[in-house]
Amino acid sequence: MSEEKPTFITAGEEFDRDMTYIPDRITHEARKPEHGPVEGELWPVEPGRYRLVAAPACPWANRSLIVRALLGLEDVLSVGLPAPTHGPASWNFDLDPGGVDPVLGIHELREAYDARFPDYPRGITVPAVVEVASGHVVTNDFPWITHDLFFEWRDHHRPDAPDLWPDDLREEMEEVMDRVFTDVNNGVYRCGFAGSQAAYERAYDRLWAALDWLEERLTDRRYLMGDRLTEADVRLFTTLARFDAVYHSHFKCNRNKLSEMPALWGYARDLFQTRGFGETVDFEQIKQHYYVVQSDLNPSGIVPKGPDPSGWASPHGRERLGPSGA
């Protein structure tokens, strides 16, 4: 495969994320899950059988690292951490000794995809769950990976794990998460990878309308769903954690910084200082990934020194809105 840098922008067009993933799911005793589609194979939950490959640089993978930590699944689901920079072919394990994942024994994640689907035709994405014994990728369907870690791995959760999907909030959660995904999580990409001025401005306006809505929503509630930490918070956090370091400048989302929005900035710091969140965030890897790999936007490959991340550890004062959710 060519070693030319990947291209993310199509001239004159809006950015359209490919949401086609391997549809297999890992469920309790390979049962049919209560929620969501069953379009692929069902695999049984088994401690030690699978390895979660999740690059800290990637916001979609960062979700899975946070949920794994919140639920206390570290001893039953091992994790491989790809390097932040890569060529067009695949995420790699250049940070591991010899550039090889110590459990899977592979140099690139593509090897696990090709082992199951020879010459896999789509993008090699993280997070991905790989069966250790066979070396085959099982799924890379990131929304369902975290969903199923909660619903299907319950027997292995830590006793005080938070209820990330409260039954009485699920309908409203789905509505909130849909807007967060469309206008914020993916909205920053629609700004950054817009192929025209008009497409960029449409994405920009939708992004900031959503962020203003979230700022208002979080002014008098500690979490998106009130006084309970849920997966909705995990999904929003990974974008907020990257906002000032990357999206503000690199993706031209520059009306203002996250640190200039009192409620959102306090909320983001509150989560960062919560068990399971901050320890999964690596700001240097985040910057290396975006500014080096996305050469369409940054052809020099120069990685900014700032911003200073120390503010993430500063007091957030949101205890007044209710007890911690984790």
Side-chain angles (χ1 to χ4, degrees):
M1 179 173 290
S2 169
E3 286 302 314
E4 293 180 1
K5 290 288 185 180
T7 298
F8 301 96
I9 299 172
T10 302
E13 296 185 10
E14 294 187 353
F15 172 67
D16 183 19
R17 180 174 298 280
D18 182 0
M19 291 293 291
T20 303
Y21 297 101
I22 300 167
D24 292 16
R25 294 176 65 180
I26 300 171
T27 65
H28 180 70
E29 297 181 345
R31 67 181 177 186
K32 182 179 179 180
E34 181 179 351
H35 303 289
V38 181
E39 299 174 357
E41 296 181 30
L42 295 175
W43 301 62
V45 168
E46 290 182 18
R49 179 170 176 174
Y50 308 101
R51 186 161 176 81
L52 173 66
V53 179
C58 170
W60 319 106
N62 196 176
R63 287 185 185 184
S64 63
L65 294 174
I66 293 170
V67 169
R68 173 179 175 267
L70 287 173
L71 300 178
L73 295 172
E74 294 93 333
D75 292 337
V76 298
L77 178 63
S78 70
V79 68
L81 302 174
T85 61
H86 55 79
S90 178
W91 293 86
N92 61 61
F93 297 97
D94 284 356
L95 298 183
D96 289 306
V100 175
D101 179 88
V103 172
L104 300 175
I106 57 178
H107 293 273
E108 294 186 334
L109 182 55
R110 171 171 285 280
E111 296 173 54
Y113 280 72
D114 286 343
R116 184 171 176 208
F117 305 105
D119 298 318
Y120 183 73
R122 312 190 78 86
I124 306 301
T125 64
V126 289
V129 180
V130 179
E131 185 182 40
V132 173
S134 67
H136 289 187
V137 67
V138 174
T139 183
N140 62 345
D141 197 344
F142 69 89
W144 291 108
I145 288 174
T146 52
H147 176 280
D148 291 343
L149 287 178
F150 178 76
F151 283 100
E152 305 298 335
W153 293 70
R154 287 179 187 268
D155 290 349
H156 308 286
H157 292 182
R158 60 181 171 91
D160 59 344
D163 182 358
L164 297 179
W165 290 84
D167 288 342
D168 60 324
L169 297 178
R170 182 168 183 124
E171 183 176 352
E172 184 183 2
M173 271 181 65
E174 296 281 8
E175 295 174 358
V176 169
M177 291 190 301
D178 182 66
R179 185 171 185 187
V180 166
F181 172 77
T182 302
D183 294 344
V184 181
N185 298 146
N186 199 43
V188 293
Y189 285 86
R190 291 171 60 242
C191 290
F193 296 154
S196 71
Q197 185 70 32
Y200 162 71
E201 292 186 9
R202 285 193 296 270
Y204 180 97
D205 290 344
R206 287 185 64 174
L207 167 67
W208 286 106
L211 289 174
D212 287 340
W213 165 68
L214 290 166
E215 175 74 7
E216 181 178 0
R217 185 180 181 92
L218 289 164
T219 296
D220 59 359
R221 61 180 80 193
R222 188 160 185 181
Y223 304 107
L224 282 174
M225 305 311 302
D227 60 358
R228 285 180 278 180
L229 177 73
T230 68
E231 173 139 347
D233 299 295
V234 176
R235 296 185 178 197
L236 176 57
F237 172 79
T238 59
T239 297
L240 299 183
R242 289 155 176 78
F243 199 89
D244 286 1
V246 175
Y247 303 143
H248 177 269
S249 57
H250 186 59
F251 279 178
K252 305 180 185 68
C253 302
N254 61 353
R255 191 193 76 179
N256 53 259
K257 296 177 181 178
L258 174 69
S259 58
E260 296 167 347
M261 303 185 77
L264 273 170
W265 177 225
Y267 164 82
R269 297 192 333 269
D270 187 3
L271 292 177
F272 183 84
Q273 295 168 34
T274 298
R275 172 183 177 180
F277 284 83
E279 61 264 36
T280 71
V281 175
D282 188 315
F283 290 110
E284 288 306 312
Q285 288 199 31
I286 288 168
K287 290 191 296 183
Q288 290 168 18
H289 173 66
Y290 284 92
Y291 285 102
V292 173
V293 174
Q294 294 170 1
S295 57
D296 278 15
L297 302 183
N298 187 42
S300 71
I302 294 172
V303 179
K305 289 185 67 175
D308 180 359
S310 63
W312 284 91
S314 64
H316 52 76
R318 291 181 64 82
E319 299 90 345
R320 61 184 173 78
L321 298 176
S324 173

